Amino acid sequence: MVLQLSLFSVIDDDSYGLCVSTLSNLSGKPPILYSNFAAVLKPNPEFDIEQTNSKNQLIEQNRLRLCKAVPLEALEPDVSKRDYGKLKQYGDDTLNGFNLGMLEDMLHGSTDLDRMEIDEAVCPNDDTWALSISDIPAAGASRKVSSQAITESTILSSGGRSPSIVSFLSELGYVLDFRLLTIGIKFNMSNKVFLEVSKIWQVQGAESTKQLTKGGFLIKAFVNVAKGTDIKSINHGTNALLGLQKELSGYIDLSIPDRKSMDSRLENLSDL
Amino acid sequence: MHSTIIFVERSAPATITAFHDILSNELISIKEKWSFEFKTFRLTVKNLLPDSTRLMHSITLSHMENKSVIVKNKSAIVTSVAQGGLLEGLTLNGCSSGVCESFDNLLASKLSNLWTQRQSIKGDFGSTYQTTELVIRATNVFSYGGFKGLLIEIICEDDVSDQEFEQRVSKIRNYLKEISIEDYKICGDFMNPQKRDFICDLAHQYIRVLEL
């Protein structure tokens, strides 16, 4: 179980260029462009699921997050140069020229044999998914940073009669809820702090996307602590985040988000 | 790669020694120790369709880089707790925090309202024999401390035909006959004959011989 300490903020589209150069100066390194695709699954609503386990402990029904890296060059085959400046072009709901069908194939398994070979050429041998379950962030008014426990496992591949990851997870009792595509840049700051500036789209089938960060960018600064009991590292991470918060204050105001907005439990539907 | 699993329920803890002795003329070398763990989980959902299966199995094999295969209803995933290189791509792209747990742990902690563990069968400190034709792994199997039987895993790493592999396996079966073991479960099936996948098929074979 990883403890993720984090602070969030937003900037608008026009501030992006200046923000990137400021953060690059601060971190001393250029940003790294990244993109990932996440499928969020919920327990099958047709199932009558107990709230408690055999030991009579209360178990909250959380959503599962299934996530893997999607190289931009695979999504958008025709563009040659890719750096942080690319993100400025993605202001809209739609992602023109993006091969969104590929995302569907990744989840459900491609039925078209020819296309499968092409996909394999683009993303070599990579069937690996990260599967994680996040708890609601810890409560308490005196907290200086948001802290969220994340349980994670790695799925290397799927096989069997219908060899898609989604068909296995439906056997597990989970069905697709929504899908998100994130494109962003990442800064490696001092003291193990990562800072991500990203745009997020909700993917609705192979054709349609809706940008959830329209008009701006989400900023997330975080530190991962491998063990929730490692108080020393937690304190260290908290101080590192607070240091960054202080350094950026007045420009980017990093703050703790409402913990309900980071709640993945099934009952919490209001924000989704 | 081909594989077949044999499970001899009617055996004694000493049978493995007899098996070793009968194999010894064929042996090139004795290789690393190995172990496996087999767990069964049961779906606790009440309103399932009557004909749907409730059982899910997980099998972890030390000699397959400690990978686990989780199988339900002939649908499978391969998972691993491997750190480092494998996770790097996921971590760099913000998918993973870089610290992984086994899928069994995930089931036991976060999904325990859906899945309850039913049984655990283990084989520890088994032997690996290399012959000219095959890699044979044998181990005594225990469940909660009680002896359950002898498990033999036969793998052929050469690129041979199915028939050739059958023949090599039947040689081993003849050896078993010589030490008067004739009553056992054997499985060399594939999970999905149209699309073979070595580790998934291996897991399928384990499950077929071990499930009660």
Side-chain angles (χ1 to χ4, degrees):
Chain A
M1 195 140 72
V2 183
L3 198 66
Q4 186 168 75
L5 310 171
S6 58
L7 288 171
F8 287 79
S9 187
V10 285
I11 54 163
D12 58 34
D13 278 345
D14 296 336
S15 315
Y16 178 70
L18 185 64
C19 177
V20 172
S21 45
T22 311
L23 291 172
S24 305
N25 279 334
L26 200 62
S27 78
K29 288 167 217 109
I32 304 158
L33 192 65
Y34 76 94
S35 48
N36 65 50
F37 175 60
V40 179
L41 299 105
K42 62 179 179 186
N44 192 337
E46 286 169 22
F47 285 179
D48 179 10
I49 300 169
E50 294 273 353
Q51 298 293 313
T52 52
N53 64 13
S54 55
K55 292 172 193 153
N56 216 24
Q57 295 162 322
L58 181 73
I59 304 287
E60 304 271 16
Q61 288 189 52
N62 283 293
R63 288 179 171 82
L64 293 181
R65 180 171 177 265
L66 188 65
C67 188
K68 84 185 277 182
V70 196
L72 270 182
E73 48 269 37
L75 275 170
E76 198 185 16
D78 298 328
V79 190
S80 53
K81 187 168 175 284
R82 281 187 188 80
D83 60 11
Y84 72 91
K86 275 300 286 176
L87 250 76
K88 276 189 266 189
Q89 297 162 23
Y90 306 138
D92 271 332
D93 277 337
T94 50
L95 288 161
N96 288 325
F98 271 57
N99 175 14
L100 296 167
M102 192 191 110
L103 300 176
E104 296 295 305
D105 289 349
M106 276 171 14
L107 279 176
H108 299 285
S110 181
T111 41
D112 186 343
L113 283 171
D114 293 342
R115 267 176 55 210
M116 214 143 83
E117 275 164 31
I118 296 167
D119 287 350
E120 272 169 22
V122 178
C123 346
N125 71 32
D126 201 5
D127 261 343
T128 310
W129 292 86
L131 183 75
S132 57
I133 299 179
S134 308
D135 292 352
I136 183 168
S142 62
R143 295 202 170 267
K144 294 172 186 142
V145 297
S146 171
S147 84
Q148 185 171 36
I150 302 171
T151 313
E152 194 182 298
S153 190
T154 314
I155 298 176
L156 302 175
S157 63
S158 49
R161 195 170 45 192
S162 47
S164 83
I165 185 96
V166 169
S167 67
F168 176 81
L169 290 171
S170 76
E171 292 289 346
L172 193 72
Y174 281 78
V175 292
L176 271 178
D177 196 0
F178 53 90
R179 286 151 288 174
L180 301 173
L181 180 69
T182 306
I183 305 176
I185 53 171
K186 188 177 202 163
F187 293 94
N188 200 344
M189 313 300 279
S190 52
N191 295 323
K192 292 182 186 167
V193 179
F194 292 100
L195 198 142
E196 292 174 353
V197 181
S198 60
K199 277 191 175 289
I200 302 168
W201 285 264
Q202 183 160 2
V203 181
Q204 296 149 325
E207 297 299 318
S208 150
T209 50
K210 185 182 157 214
Q211 192 182 148
L212 301 177
T213 48
K214 206 164 184 186
F217 288 83
L218 179 72
I219 296 183
K220 176 185 180 184
F222 66 96
V223 177
N224 289 329
V225 179
K227 276 203 177 80
T229 47
D230 186 354
I231 305 290
K232 203 174 160 190
S233 296
I234 294 172
N235 287 339
H236 198 266
T238 307
N239 289 335
L241 278 174
L242 292 175
L244 183 69
Q245 184 187 39
K246 202 173 163 194
E247 215 161 355
L248 291 172
S249 68
Y251 178 50
I252 299 167
D253 285 317
L254 291 168
S255 60
I256 307 175
D258 182 357
R259 60 195 278 268
K260 280 187 188 152
S261 67
M262 289 163 77
D263 185 5
S264 72
R265 287 177 302 181
L266 199 61
E267 289 77 17
N268 178 34
L269 288 163
S270 53
D271 302 306
L272 300 170
Chain B
M1 296 274 270
H2 301 264
S3 61
T4 286
I5 308 290
I6 293 173
F7 180 54
V8 194
E9 209 169 345
R10 308 188 66 158
S11 60
T15 313
I16 193 167
T17 325
F19 181 64
H20 179 156
D21 291 346
I22 197 108
L23 268 187
S24 47
N25 284 336
E26 294 251 343
L27 292 186
I28 297 176
S29 64
I30 294 177
K31 291 164 67 176
E32 81 283 350
K33 292 292 174 187
W34 71 288
S35 59
F36 79 90
E37 186 165 13
F38 173 80
K39 289 181 188 166
T40 302
F41 296 89
R42 189 172 184 279
L43 188 61
T44 58
V45 171
K46 283 183 190 138
N47 59 340
L48 275 189
L49 294 172
D51 55 341
S52 54
T53 166
R54 284 181 177 272
L55 295 182
M56 179 162 72
H57 304 283
S58 117
I59 177 111
T60 308
L61 302 167
S62 70
H63 53 292
M64 295 285 155
E65 298 158 340
N66 265 325
K67 284 178 187 161
S68 303
V69 185
I70 326 287
V71 183
K72 183 180 176 247
N73 201 9
K74 288 199 170 177
S75 199
I77 52 164
V78 183
T79 74
S80 149
V81 280
Q83 312 274 330
L86 186 79
L87 278 174
E88 210 166 85
L90 288 171
T91 317
L92 277 178
N93 285 290
C95 302
S96 162
S97 56
V99 183
C100 258
E101 293 182 35
S102 73
F103 197 83
D104 291 359
N105 272 354
L106 199 84
L107 284 173
S109 59
K110 292 289 166 187
L111 303 182
S112 60
N113 59 332
L114 265 175
W115 294 99
T116 330
Q117 192 183 324
R118 275 296 135 124
Q119 62 170 345
S120 160
I121 295 176
K122 275 185 192 178
D124 275 329
F125 215 60
S127 307
T128 307
Y129 309 110
Q130 172 89 56
T131 72
T132 46
E133 295 180 339
L134 298 163
V135 177
I136 300 162
R137 292 188 174 85
T139 184
N140 278 333
V141 176
F142 294 88
S143 173
Y144 300 107
F147 179 75
K148 288 296 252 184
L150 168 69
L151 183 129
I152 302 167
E153 179 199 274
I154 303 169
I155 288 181
C156 178
E157 288 167 345
D158 308 336
D159 186 21
V160 295
S161 68
D162 287 354
Q163 289 86 347
E164 170 66 24
F165 178 64
E166 287 282 317
Q167 277 175 11
R168 293 181 180 188
V169 170
S170 60
K171 232 189 247 178
I172 304 298
R173 297 182 71 169
N174 285 334
Y175 283 135
L176 286 172
K177 212 174 189 172
E178 282 179 39
I179 51 172
S180 41
I181 295 174
E182 289 181 72
D183 179 13
Y184 51 80
K185 287 197 238 174
I186 179 164
C187 181
D189 297 350
F190 310 105
M191 199 181 284
N192 178 1
Q194 272 87 49
K195 192 170 183 284
R196 291 193 190 179
D197 179 323
F198 179 71
I199 191 163
C200 287
D201 293 337
L202 186 65
H204 176 68
Q205 293 160 8
Y206 268 93
I207 292 163
R208 287 294 296 276
V209 299
L210 287 173
E211 75 183 344
L212 302 171

